[in-house]
Each structure stands twice: as structure tokens, then as C-alpha cells.
């Protein structure tokens, strides 16, 4: 069905990450590729001044280790990629650079300001140039 799938996984929701990785595997064409992606948000400069210089590198290493462990636990073959920046923008950029034909991401339980789907999911749905599957949290 799909040749290249970006699976955006928030490290705060690793159990949901397993679900969407398995869903991606079920939608993947033979010979296709899955990219498991985590995005580390930028820290505002006024906060970054007070933090250790190597904090971003440490956060990226920790994210890569945790995402690789998740991929191994699901037994889904996937490439792990870590990016930093605004999450929606980084997810869309990853999809474009990989020429993905599907993005899968989970949506958190929304508040009033983003009632139907989460803020990141909402932005990805509105701006992605490929299909987007939003896995809703079962309440």
C-alpha cells in the first residue's frame, strides 16, 4: 500500500509508539521502508543559557537509544531518525526529505484549543504533502 512511511513517535507515549509502528508495518508494501522519527523541541534561548552545553546532544542520544529499543521490542524493521525543532515542521520536513507517501502519528487527548486532534497532529494534517494517518487515543 505504501512504500515509505514516517512514524512520528513521542517518547512520552512509547506504548502508543508500539501500536503505530505495528500499524505502519501492516500498511507497508513489500520492499518498503519505515522511518521511526522522534523530534526534540528546541529550548528557548533564554532558557538554554542556563543549561549545560551538551544537553541537546545528550537528549538526542537518549532519544535514539529509547527509540531503537522500542523498534527492537516491536520487531518491526525501521530506520531510527532524531530531529530537533518544532515537531510539526520537523515531521513534515522528514516526510519531504524521505519522499514519504504516508505519515503516521498518535494524537494526545486534546484540550479545548485543539479539540478534534492534537496541535502537532493538526498542523501535520493541514500542511503535509502526503497522506496522514492520525491514531486516536482511545478514551
Amino acid at each position: 500500500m505504501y512504500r515509505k512511511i514516517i512514524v512520528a513517535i513521542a517518547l512520552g507515549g512509547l506504548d502508543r509508539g508500539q501500536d503505530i509502528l505495528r500499524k505502519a508495518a501492516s500498511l507497508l508494501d513489500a520492499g518498503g521502508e519505515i522511518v521511526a522519527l522522534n523530534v526534540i523541541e528546541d529550548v528557548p534561548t533564554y532558557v538554554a543559557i542556563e543549561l549545560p552545553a551538551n544537553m541537546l546532544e545528550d537528549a538526542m542520544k537518549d532519544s535514539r537509544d529509547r527509540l531503537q529499543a522500542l523498534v527492537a521490542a516491536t520487531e518491526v524493521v525501521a530506520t531510527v531518525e532524531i530531529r530537533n525543532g518544532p515537531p510539526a515542521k520537523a515531521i513534515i520536513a522528514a516526510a519531504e526529505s524521505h519522499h514519504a507517501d504516508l505519515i503516521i502519528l498518535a494524537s494526545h487527548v486534546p484540550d479545548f484549543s485543539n479539540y478534534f486532534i492534537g496541535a502537532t497532529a493538526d498542523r501535520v494534517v493541514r500542511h503535509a504533502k502526503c497522506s496522514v494517518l492520525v491514531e486516536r487515543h482511545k478514551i
Side-chain angles (χ1 to χ4, degrees):
M1 296 181 78
Y2 296 97
R3 302 252 338 122
K4 180 78 73 122
I5 301 174
I6 302 294
V7 181
I9 301 170
L11 294 180
L14 290 178
D15 55 329
R16 299 189 62 215
Q18 287 184 346
D19 294 341
I20 62 176
L21 269 173
R22 289 187 180 111
K23 183 164 296 235
S26 73
L27 296 171
L28 191 66
D29 282 341
E33 182 184 354
I34 295 172
V35 176
L37 173 70
N38 177 255
V39 179
I40 298 171
E41 289 190 66
D42 288 330
V43 177
T45 355
Y46 63 88
V47 175
I49 292 170
E50 301 298 324
L51 299 173
N54 61 344
M55 189 191 86
L56 179 60
E57 293 90 17
D58 292 346
M60 292 183 86
K61 181 186 179 323
D62 180 57
S63 293
R64 180 173 305 284
D65 292 346
R66 292 175 65 191
L67 205 50
Q68 286 173 334
L70 174 73
V71 168
T74 61
E75 299 180 359
V76 170
V77 176
T79 303
V80 170
E81 184 170 318
I82 309 298
R83 291 186 178 223
N84 71 304
K89 202 175 221 181
I91 292 166
I92 292 167
E96 289 175 1
S97 69
H98 286 285
H99 305 289
D101 49 0
L102 178 65
I103 298 169
I104 301 178
L105 66 156
S107 175
H108 64 78
V109 178
D111 60 18
F112 184 73
S113 67
N114 50 17
Y115 186 73
F116 294 105
I117 54 180
T120 298
D122 179 49
R123 287 184 191 99
V124 172
V125 166
R126 282 188 282 128
H127 299 288
K129 294 178 181 159
C130 64
S131 297
V132 180
L133 188 153
V134 179
E135 181 70 20
R136 292 290 297 166
H137 177 67
K138 296 168 183 81
I139 300 172

